[in-house]
Amino acid sequence: MKKGLIVIVLIFPILAYGQVIKKKINNKNESYPTYASIAFKDIVGTIHLGDGFGGYNLILDSNMNFSKLSTDCLSNLVADSGVWEIKNYSTVVLKSNKQKQYFDIIKLDHFIFFIPPE
């Protein structure tokens, strides 16, 4: 009886004050610090896109070609390859026979992040 009464007494404050108001994540009014102007030499190299268990390594070379390697704990397989280019001075476009991917470039401190638009 005592435990039931405690649960009933606590349920009302939890319902009244325990609600979290969700913010819109992709609010168009909010902006993030995009890289003002990038050159290919700034982003040539390997970029890891992880998913917690594995992910992909994007290898961007100076000849404007890329390779997408699927990585996990057991293997590294070539998943895709093609060409890449820089558009609007802050967007990287990866083009292959399978798909076209866009990444916005964001620089925070000395780190450069590849952010998919979605």
Side-chain angles (χ1 to χ4, degrees):
M1 179 70 179
K2 199 185 243 186
K3 291 181 185 177
L5 185 60
I6 291 173
V7 170
I8 290 173
V9 169
L10 290 178
I11 195 85
F12 292 112
I14 291 172
L15 291 175
Y17 299 109
Q19 302 294 324
V20 176
I21 298 172
K22 292 184 179 179
K23 287 177 32 178
K24 280 188 174 180
I25 294 173
N26 293 328
N27 189 354
K28 298 296 182 188
N29 295 331
E30 295 179 14
S31 63
Y32 49 83
T34 57
Y35 206 89
S37 176
I38 58 171
F40 78 95
K41 66 179 177 61
D42 295 331
I43 58 174
V44 168
T46 301
I47 299 99
H48 180 72
L49 305 170
D51 62 3
F53 297 105
Y56 294 98
N57 284 336
L58 289 175
I59 302 170
L60 305 175
D61 66 10
S62 59
N63 295 329
M64 305 302 274
N65 294 318
F66 79 92
S67 297
K68 186 177 183 180
L69 301 175
S70 173
T71 62
D72 58 20
C73 58
L74 298 176
S75 64
N76 288 330
L77 302 172
V78 176
D80 201 4
S81 63
V83 296
W84 65 277
E85 65 180 340
I86 298 173
K87 290 210 177 210
N88 300 330
Y89 302 106
S90 64
T91 303
V92 172
V93 181
L94 304 176
K95 295 180 188 176
S96 71
N97 292 336
K98 296 179 183 178
Q99 64 183 352
K100 185 185 279 191
Q101 287 184 303
Y102 295 89
F103 293 99
D104 292 330
I105 304 299
I106 296 175
K107 182 177 182 184
L108 297 173
D109 199 18
H110 298 290
F111 301 99
I112 298 174
F113 296 94
F114 284 64
I115 308 296
E118 62 273 346

